Amino acid sequence: MKTISPLNALLDLPFQAFPAVEGPLSGYTLAVKDIFDIAGLPTQCGNPGKNHESAASITAPSVQKLLDSGAKFIGKTQTDELAFSLMGQNSHYPFPINPKAPGRVTGGSSSGSASAVAGGLADIAIGSDTGGSIRAPASFCGLIGLRTTHGRLSLGGAMPLAPSLDTFGWFARDMALYEKVGAVLLGPDETDFKLNRPLFIPLLEHYLLGEAEDAAFRAMYGHVAAHLGHAKSARQSTASMDDLYLCFRQIQGFEAWRAHGAWISAADRHLGPGVKERFEYGSTIDAQTYEAQTKRRDLFRSELADVLKGDGVMVLPTVPGAGPMVNSTFDELQAYRERALRLLCLSGLSGFPQITLPLGEVHGAPFGISLIGPKGSDSTLIRLGSAILSSAETRN
C-alpha cells in the first residue's frame, strides 16, 4: 500500500465501485479513513504489516448508511499509525499535505480524510476521534468537524484504539453539507436542547500559544458572542486541567495496550516514533490505576453535565493555535500535543459532543473555535454552528 498524489491523502488500493444509489447524498463523493472496513478492501490502520493479506467482507455500518444515502465512495484515506497520533505524520508513508497551510501539518489521526476534503478530492470524509482526531485536523485545515456523543454512532467495523473514548466523525467544507450528513447519521436529538447559555472555563485561554493566537481567539469569540451573548464563567471541576489530562492519557494508554498489545508484542511491528512510546507507556499502566482514573472521569462527567444542564454550551479554543510546521522537531510536536490535549480532553472524558468551526486564522493558517454541548445534543450543536457561521458571514 502506498499513498498517491495529489496531497498524499488517498491510498493506492484497487476497488470496485459500489452501485449508484439515489438519496439525500447523491452527487457527493465520500472518502473513508483506513481504520473502517470497506467490503473487498484491507483495513491496514496505517501500519504496513496490519491486515495486508485480508480484505473485509462487509462495510462498517455507519459508512454503509452514507453509501445507502447516495454518497459515492472514491477511496480510503491515510491514517496515522494505529490512530495513535495527533499530527498527521505517519513515518511509513509520505505525509498528507494541508492544502490550506502547506507548510503545516494536517493533524491526525484522521489526516488523509482532512487533507482530501480541504483539497477538494472528496466532499465528505470519514474519520474518528479518540483524543482529537476529528477536531484538531478540522481546525488545522479550515474544516467543520464534530466529535459525536460517545456511543451515539456505531463503530462496528472499525479498528478500536481506546473504546471508552473512540467516536465516529466526519469532515466537510461547508455547513449545508455537514447538516445533510448529520441528518443521515444522527437524525434528530431525543431531547429538545436550547443551547442558549454560553459558558467558559477560566484560564483555558492560557493554553494558547501566544499573543497572536489570543487575538485570533478573541475575534472568533466575538462572532459567537454576537450570536449567543457573552459567555459566563463555569464552575471549576474538582480536578485540575493537569489532572484531567493525566486521567485521559492513562485511560487511553491502558485501553490502547489492551486492544493492540498482544499484536504489537508478537513481532517487531516497526512502530514509528511517538506511537511506539505511547504504546509502551500504555503497557505500564496497571488495572488499579485505570480503575481510579475511570472513577475520576465519571466524577468529571457528572460535574460537566451539571454545569451544562440542557441549555449550556461551552466555548473554547479547539487547539492552541495553527497546526505546527511540518519540519518541527519531535520535541516541539510533543509539546504542542500535550498542550492541545488539555483542551481536547474535556469532550473526550465527558463523552459529550464538541463541534469545531472554521472561524479564525492565525499566522496565515486556519484556527478553529469549539462548542461543547450536553450529552446527546449533536444535531442541535450542528444547527447552532450553522447559525453562528451564518451570522459571522453576515457581520463580515
Side-chain angles (χ1 to χ4, degrees):
M1 180 178 69
K2 58 183 183 296
T3 53
I4 57 173
S5 296
L7 304 180
N8 296 327
L10 298 176
L11 300 177
D12 185 15
L13 293 171
F15 66 93
Q16 292 183 341
F18 289 85
V21 175
E22 286 298 317
L25 299 180
S26 293
Y28 295 108
T29 53
L30 173 69
V32 177
K33 181 178 182 177
D34 191 30
I35 66 165
F36 292 93
D37 289 347
I38 299 291
L41 294 179
T43 306
Q44 296 180 298
C45 310
N47 182 284
K50 190 81 168 170
N51 302 329
H52 183 71
E53 301 292 334
S54 59
S57 57
I58 60 174
T59 298
S62 293
V63 176
Q64 189 64 52
K65 272 190 176 183
L66 301 178
L67 298 176
D68 292 342
S69 297
K72 179 184 178 182
F73 175 67
I74 62 164
K76 282 198 163 188
T77 61
Q78 187 180 163
T79 177
D80 286 0
E81 191 172 14
L82 300 177
F84 210 171
S85 185
L86 196 64
M87 294 301 159
Q89 295 187 326
N90 188 326
S91 63
H92 300 291
Y93 308 108
F95 302 157
I97 296 168
N98 181 343
K100 299 298 183 182
R104 298 180 182 271
V105 302
T106 56
S109 60
S110 306
S111 51
S113 290
S115 176
V117 171
L121 301 182
D123 299 312
I124 309 158
I126 300 307
S128 64
D129 190 309
T130 301
S133 296
I134 286 289
R135 293 162 290 161
S139 183
F140 294 167
C141 296
L143 302 172
I144 303 154
L146 173 73
R147 177 190 162 90
T148 51
T149 295
H150 184 264
R152 179 154 179 178
L153 295 179
S154 171
L155 281 172
M159 182 212 80
L161 178 59
S164 76
L165 300 167
D166 297 344
T167 58
F168 185 96
W170 69 98
F171 301 103
R173 290 184 298 277
D174 68 86
M175 188 56 86
L177 177 54
Y178 211 90
E179 289 185 280
K180 286 184 179 182
V181 176
V184 169
L185 291 173
L186 296 165
D189 296 331
E190 294 184 358
T191 300
D192 183 19
F193 295 99
K194 300 302 181 187
L195 302 191
N196 55 12
R197 184 169 54 92
L199 301 162
F200 70 92
I201 297 176
L203 306 181
L204 272 189
E205 68 274 14
H206 288 192
Y207 293 104
L208 294 170
L209 292 177
E211 293 182 3
E213 288 77 11
D214 183 72
F217 174 67
R218 289 179 186 277
M220 291 189 286
Y221 174 82
H223 290 303
V224 175
H227 185 83
L228 283 174
H230 286 279
K232 292 183 170 59
S233 174
R235 185 173 69 253
Q236 285 281 68
S237 163
T238 52
S240 70
M241 291 303 297
D242 287 344
D243 290 337
L244 294 175
Y245 166 67
L246 180 63
C247 178
F248 175 86
R249 188 177 178 220
Q250 291 187 329
I251 289 174
Q252 182 190 40
F254 180 90
E255 293 187 3
W257 185 254
R258 186 169 59 186
H260 297 283
W263 180 79
I264 291 170
S265 301
D268 183 358
R269 304 305 184 181
H270 305 287
L271 298 181
V275 176
K276 178 177 182 289
E277 287 78 10
R278 283 188 277 279
F279 276 112
E280 287 175 347
Y281 174 73
S283 72
T284 69
I285 300 167
D286 58 36
Q288 184 177 1
T289 300
Y290 175 71
E291 182 179 353
Q293 293 292 27
T294 299
K295 289 178 180 177
R296 172 171 280 175
R297 173 177 62 183
D298 291 344
L299 176 60
F300 170 70
R301 180 180 294 154
S302 175
E303 290 175 337
L304 186 58
D306 187 55
V307 166
L308 293 177
K309 301 188 186 304
D311 63 345
V313 58
M314 195 72 66
V315 183
L316 69 161
T318 304
V319 285
M325 303 305 292
V326 172
N327 60 359
S328 298
T329 66
F330 178 85
D331 288 344
E332 288 169 340
L333 293 175
Q334 184 64 19
Y336 188 105
R337 172 189 169 84
E338 291 180 5
R339 186 184 287 253
L341 284 174
R342 283 168 168 80
L343 297 171
L344 294 163
C345 73
L346 303 179
S347 175
L349 287 173
S350 67
F352 298 169
Q354 176 177 346
I355 193 167
T356 179
L357 304 173
L359 275 174
E361 184 178 282
V362 64
H363 304 304
F367 180 31
I369 191 169
S370 274
L371 308 171
I372 298 176
K375 179 181 179 180
S377 63
D378 308 62
S379 294
T380 308
L381 207 55
I382 291 173
R383 289 198 303 274
L384 175 59
S386 178
I388 289 170
L389 286 176
S390 179
S391 65
E393 290 170 1
T394 301
R395 288 183 72 194
N396 291 334

